[in-house]
């Protein structure tokens, strides 16, 4: 059986649903932030900026980390991992689309004026998709992709090690992951905020891996725990707990609830729609931030009515969908041309 057929056979429909839904809070959060950055006021936000007691964007990111770990385990779990092929596939799935989007954004926004004094050698971080992550340490040529892209690349690098630990010593690996997550922030002193430091996002990523390896199903008790957790996180003020600890709880609880609900949906059309939406998630990550800055900047200092707020958000969302679809198709075309030449 080829790897492509293996991936198709191992596809879990609810992961497509989660992948697509995870983009909405990220897109909405950056819209809300962009309004505030240009002095736009409105009666209420498109979505609550702090659902479940954490920043709206963090909700989507946490779920996406879980889905990423689960998706990789669907493909590579239960069989020997050929690391060369794994890394080639992962990075071909990330970097070409990033390079295409970066070149377009660089030209469209005339970004050559954006990086005064940045040393040319730091372009290596851009080539590797790490500039949005490394920018917390030193100035880079960051333009799009944000910290999340660099973080997921680093987690992909760790996947072979985590997979081996999960399959050979699951309890020991879980213990190491939790110990690092609980104790690490107390001794961590880097400039990168602890809630985005890749080692402290392993619990979500690893939970997704473990979930797939342990049965791929959410039973009713787990759903109840997840729903109760979301309710408690919503009504209790837990701001005294650092976000590095709260984020995974929100992501895992939401994951359990949505998976359980999806398990009761049998419509093939439903899953097909989310399959199409989900595969454009990475393109959305690359396109949405610059688009919202470009759009919202035209309304600086205004006061939005509720209707205008939803209208502008709708225009923004439509622009993201179109730009992401175009980017996805252009990337597929370029990758196919390069593959045929080889």
């Amino acid at each position: 059986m080829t790897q492509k057929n293996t991936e198709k056979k191992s596809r879990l429909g609810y992961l497509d649903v989660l992948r697509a839904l995870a983009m909405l809070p990220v897109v909405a959060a950056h819209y809300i932030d962009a309004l505030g950055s240009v002095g736009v006021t409105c009666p209420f936000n498109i979505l609550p900026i702090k659902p479940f007691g954490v920043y709206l964007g963090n909700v989507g990111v946490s779920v996406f980390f879980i889905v990423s770990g689960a998706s990789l385990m669907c493909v590579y779990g239960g069989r020997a991992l050929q690391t060369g092929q794994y890394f080639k596939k992962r990075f071909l799935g990330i970097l070409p689309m990033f390079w295409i989007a970066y070149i377009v954004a660089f030209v469209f926004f005339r970004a050559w004026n954006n990086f005064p004094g940045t040393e040319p050698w730091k372009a290596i971080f851009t080539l590797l998709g790490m500039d949005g992550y490394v920018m917390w340490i030193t100035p880079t040529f960051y333009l799009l992709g944000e910290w999340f892209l660099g973080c997921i690349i680093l987690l992909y690098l760790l996947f072979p090690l985590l997979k081996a630990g999960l399959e050979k010593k699951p309890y020991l690996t879980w213990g190491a992951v939790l110990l690092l997550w609980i104790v690490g922030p107390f001794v961590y002193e880097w400039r990168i905020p602890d809630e985005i430091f890749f080692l402290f996002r392993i619990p979500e990523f690893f939970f997704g891996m473990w979930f797939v390896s342990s049965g791929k199903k959410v039973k009713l008790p787990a759903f109840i725990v997840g729903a109760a957790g979301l309710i408690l996180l919503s009504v209790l003020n837990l701001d005294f707990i650092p976000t590095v600890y709260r984020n995974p709880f929100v992501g895992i609880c939401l994951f359990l609830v949505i998976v359980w609900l999806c398990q009761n949906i049998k419509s093939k059309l439903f899953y097909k729609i989310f399959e199409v939406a989900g595969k454009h998630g990475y393109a959305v990550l690359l396109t949405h931030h610059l688009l919202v800055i470009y759009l919202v900047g035209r309304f600086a200092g205004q006061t939005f009515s509720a209707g205008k707020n939803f209208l502008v958000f709708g225009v923004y969302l439509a622009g993201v969908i179109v730009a992401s679809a175009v980017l996805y198709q252009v990337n597929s075309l370029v990758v196919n041309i390069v593959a045929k030449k080889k």
Side-chain angles (χ1 to χ4, degrees), residues 180-215:
L180 177 65
W181 173 57
I182 294 170
V183 177
F186 288 98
V187 297
Y188 171 74
E189 295 182 351
W190 257 25
R191 295 181 184 178
I192 300 175
D194 53 6
E195 64 266 23
I196 70 175
F197 188 51
F198 75 104
L199 291 180
F200 304 148
R201 304 313 296 249
I202 293 177
E204 295 135 302
F205 188 76
F206 191 69
F207 173 83
M209 295 173 57
W210 169 83
F211 176 81
V212 168
S213 69
S214 63

Side-chain angles (χ1 to χ4, degrees), residues 151-165:
C151 191
I152 198 65
I153 288 174
L154 293 171
L155 290 175
Y156 282 166
L157 288 172
L158 287 178
F159 174 75
L161 179 63
L162 294 171
K163 176 181 179 293

